[in-house]
Amino acid sequence: MQSPQDASQAAPPGFLKETGLVTKIENGIAWVNTENKLSCSSCQVESTCGNGILEKYLAGKVFISKLDNLLNAKVGDRVDIIIPISSVTKAAFVAYTIPLLGLFVGAIAANQLFDNEIVVIFMSLLGFVCGLLITHSYNSKVAFDKDYVPKMIAKHSSGFSPSEFESIRVKNLS
């Protein structure tokens, strides 16, 4: 059986795994920076696929996650983090479907009740905004749900001295 700090540990079935860099430790919370990367660059339909286009927009973007420092990681350590695939799927479904559904419901309802194109457009936008508010409310409810928070599963020493790390680390956004 592998220990939680075994560097060769693979993600359990049903989980997504990413490696990030610890950039800050604060009150038992590790700030972990991960760089966006998709495998689209090796795909033949990269230029026409939605993921390929999204990758070009997000290429090089750094995402910051605040995680419980369960592995006693230090600033400059690389850590493997996991999150359940089902949580990512649910969150994506809510983020994309609810606002779109609000837009359609607003448009259909306004079209049935009013004979004015401006009102239909306004109600569509109002439905979309309501969908965004519902999505925001959902996000607030699940933000601290254990199924939606990534967890550290392995720690790797980066080999950086603290002075070297200070010169290369990505600045945290406050």
Side-chain angles (χ1 to χ4, degrees), residues 63-81:
F63 299 97
I64 301 171
S65 301
K66 296 178 185 177
L67 309 174
D68 289 333
N69 192 4
L70 303 173
L71 302 177
N72 197 26
K74 307 275 186 267
V75 172
D77 285 345
R78 288 183 307 119
V79 293
D80 290 339
I81 57 178

Side-chain angles (χ1 to χ4, degrees), residues 42-116:
S42 62
C43 180
Q44 294 176 347
V45 293
E46 170 193 10
S47 61
T48 58
C49 171
N51 280 344
I53 294 167
L54 186 62
E55 179 183 25
K56 287 179 182 162
Y57 171 74
L58 294 175
K61 300 287 184 201
V62 174
F63 299 97
I64 301 171
S65 301
K66 296 178 185 177
L67 309 174
D68 289 333
N69 192 4
L70 303 173
L71 302 177
N72 197 26
K74 307 275 186 267
V75 172
D77 285 345
R78 288 183 307 119
V79 293
D80 290 339
I81 57 178
I82 59 168
I83 189 165
I85 293 172
S86 62
S87 298
V88 174
T89 304
K90 286 180 206 171
F93 178 79
V94 169
Y96 289 109
T97 306
I98 301 299
L100 205 57
L101 187 62
L103 180 117
F104 288 135
V105 168
I108 292 168
N111 196 39
Q112 295 297 319
L113 298 172
F114 304 101
D115 191 25
N116 186 329

Side-chain angles (χ1 to χ4, degrees), residues 2-3 15 17 32 47 55 57 59 72 86 95 106 112 120 146 162 169:
Q2 296 174 323
S3 71
F15 285 82
K17 179 180 154 190
V32 179
S47 61
E55 179 183 25
Y57 171 74
N72 197 26
S86 62
Q112 295 297 319
V120 172
K146 66 180 179 79
R169 83 175 178 165

